[in-house]
Amino acid sequence: MSDPDYFKKDWLPYFDPELVFPDCFVCPPQKDAFPVKPWLEARGGALKGFVYGPTGEPAWKIIQDAADAVGVNRKLLIVTLQREQSLIRAPALDPKRLDKACGQAVFDPRPTDPPEGQRRRIELRAKNIGFKNQLYGAAKTYAKRFREWGPGMTIKVNYNNGDDPYTVDDDSYEIRKPKNAATWALLRYTPHDVSSRFTRDQWRAWFGT
């Protein structure tokens, strides 16, 4: 089944306030045993043979170990790699995409930021850059957000389809009240409606309901 494609300039505005992910989607109640290595090999992309230079670890092991270290679903990290940098099916691997594999806190300093804000962005980037750091950072973030949720908590979710669909401003967001910890964790990780729908549909395409 082909990948869902929501990252086009002409995607229609769509907001789904009832988009709910089951808690096991983020943190399974039992240790995850999903076989990452054979699954990646079956996809046929270049990531199946990728070895992370600094440690000599294959991609499948880093995915597996990062998820298991904090009790996060291995499948969620796989979908995150595809959602953020299209790495699962890529026939060739771009080092820049690998460095930002999960979109985890790899901010570039902005000229409009005050000096302290720029310094913080530089520190976060240095801490999170790199394939292994990205996966471990993403897993820790999902786990942290999952455990911080409480009933009634709200979040701004972007549904803009302008030139920059990831810019949350006064005209492009709606307040959502996630119904459970998994939905909160996913929206806190990436507060964009288009990304939530991609996550849901890519999961269904690869792993079923």
Side-chain angles (χ1 to χ4, degrees), residues 119-153:
R119 183 187 65 79
R120 178 60 176 159
R121 282 175 173 261
I122 291 172
E123 289 177 351
L124 282 171
R125 182 181 178 85
K127 178 181 178 181
N128 289 282
I129 204 78
F131 185 76
K132 183 173 182 177
N133 289 340
Q134 282 287 291
L135 281 158
Y136 274 84
K140 290 177 182 177
T141 297
Y142 280 128
K144 175 183 177 181
R145 299 309 183 193
F146 183 87
R147 294 177 181 120
E148 75 185 8
W149 175 80
M153 294 172 68

Side-chain angles (χ1 to χ4, degrees), residues 154-204:
T154 60
I155 186 173
K156 293 180 180 179
V157 180
N158 174 266
Y159 61 95
N160 179 33
N161 74 322
D163 291 337
D164 182 1
Y166 299 104
T167 299
V168 179
D169 56 43
D170 291 341
D171 299 321
S172 65
Y173 75 83
E174 187 164 324
I175 300 297
R176 182 181 292 187
K177 188 181 294 184
K179 294 183 177 181
N180 62 355
T183 306
W184 169 264
L186 286 161
L187 290 175
R188 285 287 280 121
Y189 191 96
T190 176
H192 308 289
D193 184 62
V194 64
S195 295
S196 294
R197 290 187 294 116
F198 182 94
T199 300
R200 176 195 63 192
D201 294 347
Q202 187 64 80
W203 182 288
R204 288 176 176 172

Side-chain angles (χ1 to χ4, degrees), residues 31-87:
K31 184 177 179 180
D32 191 3
F34 181 75
V36 178
K37 184 175 184 288
W39 188 89
L40 278 181
E41 291 172 345
R43 301 281 73 74
L47 197 63
K48 69 179 182 181
F50 174 70
V51 174
Y52 183 59
T55 62
E57 296 169 278
W60 68 265
K61 187 177 188 302
I62 296 175
I63 295 169
Q64 202 164 280
D65 290 351
D68 293 354
V70 290
V72 164
N73 199 318
R74 296 175 182 178
K75 297 175 185 176
L76 178 58
L77 292 187
I78 289 172
V79 172
T80 300
L81 289 169
Q82 183 65 18
R83 183 189 67 219
E84 298 295 334
Q85 295 295 336
S86 302
L87 288 174

Side-chain angles (χ1 to χ4, degrees), residues 8-46:
K8 294 181 178 179
K9 292 292 184 182
D10 59 351
W11 69 275
L12 296 175
Y14 177 80
F15 188 73
D16 183 0
E18 296 303 316
L19 187 62
V20 177
F21 295 87
D23 282 345
C24 62
F25 189 90
V26 175
C27 290
Q30 299 177 337
K31 184 177 179 180
D32 191 3
F34 181 75
V36 178
K37 184 175 184 288
W39 188 89
L40 278 181
E41 291 172 345
R43 301 281 73 74

